[in-house]
Amino acid sequence: MRGSGRTFFGHPWGLATLFGTEMWERFSWYGLRAILYTFMAASPAHQGLGLPPATAQAVVGVYGALIYLVALPGGWVADRVLGARRSVFWGGFVIMLGHISMAIPVPAPFFVWLGLLLIIAGTGLLKPNISVMVGRLYSEDEDGRRDAGFSLFYLGINLGAFFAPIVVGWLADGDRWHLGFSAAAVGMALGLTQYVWGRRALRGVGERPGLRLTPAERRRFGRVAGLGAGVVVAALAIWAASGTLTIDRLTIVITVVILIVPIVYFSYIMLGSHELSQEERDRMKAYIWLFVAAAIFWMIYDLAPSKLLAFAADHTDLSLFGVHIQPATTQSFNPLLIMIFVPVFAALWVKLGTRVSTPQKFGFALVMVGLSFVVMAVAAGLAQSGRVSVWWLVLVYAIQVFGELSLSPVGLSVTTKLAPEAFKAQMLGVWFIAVSVGDAVGGQTGRLGAVLSEPAYYLVLAVMAIVAGVALFMFTRRLRVLMAEHYHAEALPSSIR
């Protein structure tokens, strides 16, 4: 352990600083997420943006997708320019500005779009680097203590995720959307305050970039970044001048770009001259299958803040144990269930050991998320005759959590295991690209509502996930050969997201 003296549940006191910062950042993220779709779909008469439901779902999808995509450049900026400590601070500061922008109570949507862009940029700096700092609180020979420290850190994630929808949803009730956005801004401000106040406890962790750019490299980076930003702005300006730029079309273009990213990246790895051994090529072939499976999983799982939230608002009796709740409060079911079932699944994976392979865990996760939408199809069918119990959503989220705890904990582990030696560091970010792809495509599935009934919509996605899961089970033996899988993957104690 770095230093001695004051501790946080037996861990370096710096963990308390990072725990609180991440808890409040996740409070702001999940708070906004819990009301963003309903705000965008609400009519101007109810102080919303008045977007069509399919467009609002697409916006929420690409917003979540970009959040995970920018983790890659955010990690690079920390490694080469700012260092992790300053990246976390400036990331949190930009996130706070984003929420403040969204909280400005004016009818024009400019400040909403500006706020979302700032939050995306800030999260790219904060999210990947605060986890790096947690790991660096411990020396290299403290693997057990580091794992336990991450357990506490991830508890902070889920605490923030649990309380945010309850608080923000209550404040935003009655079309007080900007009050809800203000709460998210306050949450991030509290996280920043704690981070600055507790910076001494970090004892220099993340103070300097791992491999700082030389002055010549900085100038080159500035030119490339400026040129890239200029090209994007110019393209958008030309598109807008043509009179054909719409929010709907922009979300489609962003989704296409996000889909191209992993295709280009995997092609670069597999077709480039990187002196990969045959074993490394085989492992990458197996990983591509798992990547696609993960993207399908997140495509359905991350419809919670759009499609399932809309169902909660429009088709459920929002009463739990006789207490009325807000639609946003249903977004707290997931983190609560994660905290309940994590110990169960951690013990289960330890007991099963290598008898259950990674492809089988991924296959089980896909079948579970597919079955959750079979349940949604039944609930949607019943809702055609009137509102249904909110306990249908509790059941859906419980089934989905079973899937998440089978896929998410081993995702990073299998990524590091299968990555070629030349791409070890970069491949960690690839796992989050799977989330990005899933979120972007999931956002676009709302357009199926134009040709499918509500129950049919859920069944189509359910069949897609279940078929993909069954395919993984059928090809498990082949994938295990490609992966050379003979190991036990430890399950993380909580959601890493």
mmCIF file of all heavy atoms in Angstrom, residues 19-36:
data_model
loop_
_atom_site.group_PDB
_atom_site.id
_atom_site.type_symbol
_atom_site.label_atom_id
_atom_site.label_comp_id
_atom_site.label_asym_id
_atom_site.label_seq_id
_atom_site.Cartn_x
_atom_site.Cartn_y
_atom_site.Cartn_z
ATOM 1 N N PHE A 19 -13.633 6.931 -4.578
ATOM 2 C CA PHE A 19 -14.963 6.332 -4.357
ATOM 3 C C PHE A 19 -16.037 7.404 -4.418
ATOM 4 O O PHE A 19 -17.032 7.279 -5.133
ATOM 5 C CB PHE A 19 -14.968 5.637 -2.986
ATOM 6 C CG PHE A 19 -16.303 5.090 -2.555
ATOM 7 C CD1 PHE A 19 -16.613 3.752 -2.741
ATOM 8 C CD2 PHE A 19 -17.248 5.905 -1.940
ATOM 9 C CE1 PHE A 19 -17.843 3.240 -2.333
ATOM 10 C CE2 PHE A 19 -18.476 5.403 -1.527
ATOM 11 C CZ PHE A 19 -18.770 4.067 -1.729
ATOM 12 N N GLY A 20 -15.827 8.493 -3.675
ATOM 13 C CA GLY A 20 -16.812 9.566 -3.638
ATOM 14 C C GLY A 20 -16.941 10.278 -4.973
ATOM 15 O O GLY A 20 -18.042 10.615 -5.410
ATOM 16 N N THR A 21 -15.813 10.514 -5.618
ATOM 17 C CA THR A 21 -15.846 11.189 -6.917
ATOM 18 C C THR A 21 -16.628 10.373 -7.929
ATOM 19 O O THR A 21 -17.491 10.899 -8.645
ATOM 20 C CB THR A 21 -14.421 11.421 -7.439
ATOM 21 O OG1 THR A 21 -13.675 12.156 -6.462
ATOM 22 C CG2 THR A 21 -14.435 12.194 -8.745
ATOM 23 N N GLU A 22 -16.342 9.074 -7.998
ATOM 24 C CA GLU A 22 -17.038 8.218 -8.963
ATOM 25 C C GLU A 22 -18.505 8.057 -8.604
ATOM 26 O O GLU A 22 -19.370 8.016 -9.493
ATOM 27 C CB GLU A 22 -16.350 6.846 -9.021
ATOM 28 C CG GLU A 22 -16.995 5.856 -9.975
ATOM 29 C CD GLU A 22 -16.805 6.205 -11.446
ATOM 30 O OE1 GLU A 22 -16.340 7.324 -11.756
ATOM 31 O OE2 GLU A 22 -17.129 5.351 -12.298
ATOM 32 N N MET A 23 -18.821 7.960 -7.320
ATOM 33 C CA MET A 23 -20.214 7.820 -6.902
ATOM 34 C C MET A 23 -21.041 9.016 -7.374
ATOM 35 O O MET A 23 -22.136 8.864 -7.933
ATOM 36 C CB MET A 23 -20.306 7.693 -5.381
ATOM 37 C CG MET A 23 -21.737 7.513 -4.870
ATOM 38 S SD MET A 23 -21.827 7.456 -3.073
ATOM 39 C CE MET A 23 -21.433 9.175 -2.675
ATOM 40 N N TRP A 24 -20.500 10.232 -7.182
ATOM 41 C CA TRP A 24 -21.228 11.430 -7.583
ATOM 42 C C TRP A 24 -21.249 11.601 -9.099
ATOM 43 O O TRP A 24 -22.224 12.098 -9.671
ATOM 44 C CB TRP A 24 -20.638 12.665 -6.913
ATOM 45 C CG TRP A 24 -21.014 12.769 -5.472
ATOM 46 C CD1 TRP A 24 -20.185 12.663 -4.390
ATOM 47 C CD2 TRP A 24 -22.331 12.971 -4.944
ATOM 48 N NE1 TRP A 24 -20.896 12.800 -3.228
ATOM 49 C CE2 TRP A 24 -22.213 12.989 -3.538
ATOM 50 C CE3 TRP A 24 -23.587 13.140 -5.522
ATOM 51 C CZ2 TRP A 24 -23.314 13.175 -2.705
ATOM 52 C CZ3 TRP A 24 -24.687 13.314 -4.698
ATOM 53 C CH2 TRP A 24 -24.552 13.336 -3.311
ATOM 54 N N GLU A 25 -20.178 11.173 -9.780
ATOM 55 C CA GLU A 25 -20.192 11.241 -11.245
ATOM 56 C C GLU A 25 -21.240 10.291 -11.799
ATOM 57 O O GLU A 25 -21.985 10.633 -12.732
ATOM 58 C CB GLU A 25 -18.805 10.886 -11.795
ATOM 59 C CG GLU A 25 -18.680 11.064 -13.307
ATOM 60 C CD GLU A 25 -19.131 9.858 -14.106
ATOM 61 O OE1 GLU A 25 -19.028 8.729 -13.592
ATOM 62 O OE2 GLU A 25 -19.603 10.045 -15.248
ATOM 63 N N ARG A 26 -21.340 9.099 -11.223
ATOM 64 C CA ARG A 26 -22.364 8.154 -11.670
ATOM 65 C C ARG A 26 -23.768 8.643 -11.285
ATOM 66 O O ARG A 26 -24.736 8.393 -12.005
ATOM 67 C CB ARG A 26 -22.119 6.770 -11.072
ATOM 68 C CG ARG A 26 -20.908 6.047 -11.619
ATOM 69 C CD ARG A 26 -21.090 5.620 -13.079
ATOM 70 N NE ARG A 26 -20.686 6.624 -14.050
ATOM 71 C CZ ARG A 26 -20.787 6.480 -15.361
ATOM 72 N NH1 ARG A 26 -21.284 5.366 -15.866
ATOM 73 N NH2 ARG A 26 -20.395 7.431 -16.172
ATOM 74 N N PHE A 27 -23.859 9.358 -10.159
ATOM 75 C CA PHE A 27 -25.143 9.972 -9.786
ATOM 76 C C PHE A 27 -25.580 10.933 -10.889
ATOM 77 O O PHE A 27 -26.740 10.923 -11.315
ATOM 78 C CB PHE A 27 -24.994 10.708 -8.455
ATOM 79 C CG PHE A 27 -26.244 11.433 -8.014
ATOM 80 C CD1 PHE A 27 -27.150 10.821 -7.160
ATOM 81 C CD2 PHE A 27 -26.506 12.736 -8.438
ATOM 82 C CE1 PHE A 27 -28.310 11.485 -6.755
ATOM 83 C CE2 PHE A 27 -27.655 13.403 -8.047
ATOM 84 C CZ PHE A 27 -28.568 12.783 -7.200
ATOM 85 N N SER A 28 -24.656 11.766 -11.352
ATOM 86 C CA SER A 28 -25.002 12.730 -12.392
ATOM 87 C C SER A 28 -25.338 12.029 -13.699
ATOM 88 O O SER A 28 -26.289 12.397 -14.397
ATOM 89 C CB SER A 28 -23.860 13.731 -12.590
ATOM 90 O OG SER A 28 -22.730 13.124 -13.174
ATOM 91 N N TRP A 29 -24.570 10.993 -14.049
ATOM 92 C CA TRP A 29 -24.775 10.274 -15.311
ATOM 93 C C TRP A 29 -26.113 9.538 -15.316
ATOM 94 O O TRP A 29 -26.924 9.683 -16.230
ATOM 95 C CB TRP A 29 -23.620 9.304 -15.545
ATOM 96 C CG TRP A 29 -23.900 8.135 -16.442
ATOM 97 C CD1 TRP A 29 -23.997 6.832 -16.074
ATOM 98 C CD2 TRP A 29 -24.106 8.147 -17.870
ATOM 99 N NE1 TRP A 29 -24.246 6.034 -17.152
ATOM 100 C CE2 TRP A 29 -24.317 6.813 -18.265
ATOM 101 C CE3 TRP A 29 -24.128 9.146 -18.831
ATOM 102 C CZ2 TRP A 29 -24.558 6.455 -19.583
ATOM 103 C CZ3 TRP A 29 -24.373 8.793 -20.154
ATOM 104 C CH2 TRP A 29 -24.576 7.458 -20.523
ATOM 105 N N TYR A 30 -26.359 8.739 -14.256
ATOM 106 C CA TYR A 30 -27.596 7.963 -14.215
ATOM 107 C C TYR A 30 -28.811 8.839 -13.917
ATOM 108 O O TYR A 30 -29.931 8.493 -14.292
ATOM 109 C CB TYR A 30 -27.482 6.835 -13.187
ATOM 110 C CG TYR A 30 -26.691 5.667 -13.708
ATOM 111 C CD1 TYR A 30 -25.355 5.480 -13.353
ATOM 112 C CD2 TYR A 30 -27.257 4.748 -14.578
ATOM 113 C CE1 TYR A 30 -24.627 4.408 -13.844
ATOM 114 C CE2 TYR A 30 -26.541 3.674 -15.077
ATOM 115 C CZ TYR A 30 -25.214 3.512 -14.707
ATOM 116 O OH TYR A 30 -24.501 2.454 -15.212
ATOM 117 N N GLY A 31 -28.603 9.968 -13.256
ATOM 118 C CA GLY A 31 -29.707 10.892 -13.040
ATOM 119 C C GLY A 31 -30.193 11.485 -14.346
ATOM 120 O O GLY A 31 -31.400 11.500 -14.632
ATOM 121 N N LEU A 32 -29.261 11.969 -15.158
ATOM 122 C CA LEU A 32 -29.624 12.499 -16.472
ATOM 123 C C LEU A 32 -30.234 11.405 -17.334
ATOM 124 O O LEU A 32 -31.257 11.602 -18.009
ATOM 125 C CB LEU A 32 -28.389 13.081 -17.161
ATOM 126 C CG LEU A 32 -28.543 13.443 -18.644
ATOM 127 C CD1 LEU A 32 -29.596 14.534 -18.822
ATOM 128 C CD2 LEU A 32 -27.214 13.874 -19.239
ATOM 129 N N ARG A 33 -29.621 10.244 -17.331
ATOM 130 C CA ARG A 33 -30.072 9.107 -18.142
ATOM 131 C C ARG A 33 -31.514 8.721 -17.817
ATOM 132 O O ARG A 33 -32.261 8.278 -18.682
ATOM 133 C CB ARG A 33 -29.122 7.933 -17.866
ATOM 134 C CG ARG A 33 -29.251 6.712 -18.750
ATOM 135 C CD ARG A 33 -28.143 5.760 -18.364
ATOM 136 N NE ARG A 33 -28.084 4.573 -19.207
ATOM 137 C CZ ARG A 33 -28.475 3.366 -18.812
ATOM 138 N NH1 ARG A 33 -28.942 3.198 -17.585
ATOM 139 N NH2 ARG A 33 -28.380 2.325 -19.614
ATOM 140 N N ALA A 34 -31.912 8.911 -16.561
ATOM 141 C CA ALA A 34 -33.237 8.481 -16.126
ATOM 142 C C ALA A 34 -34.359 9.375 -16.625
ATOM 143 O O ALA A 34 -35.525 8.965 -16.614
ATOM 144 C CB ALA A 34 -33.281 8.402 -14.595
ATOM 145 N N ILE A 35 -34.035 10.602 -17.053
ATOM 146 C CA ILE A 35 -35.095 11.511 -17.511
ATOM 147 C C ILE A 35 -34.858 12.024 -18.926
ATOM 148 O O ILE A 35 -35.708 12.739 -19.465
ATOM 149 C CB ILE A 35 -35.258 12.716 -16.556
ATOM 150 C CG1 ILE A 35 -33.983 13.578 -16.542
ATOM 151 C CG2 ILE A 35 -35.631 12.261 -15.156
ATOM 152 C CD1 ILE A 35 -34.140 14.885 -15.783
ATOM 153 N N LEU A 36 -33.738 11.690 -19.547
ATOM 154 C CA LEU A 36 -33.392 12.259 -20.847
ATOM 155 C C LEU A 36 -34.410 11.885 -21.921
ATOM 156 O O LEU A 36 -34.874 12.750 -22.683
ATOM 157 C CB LEU A 36 -31.988 11.809 -21.264
ATOM 158 C CG LEU A 36 -31.463 12.384 -22.590
ATOM 159 C CD1 LEU A 36 -31.388 13.904 -22.518
ATOM 160 C CD2 LEU A 36 -30.091 11.790 -22.925
#
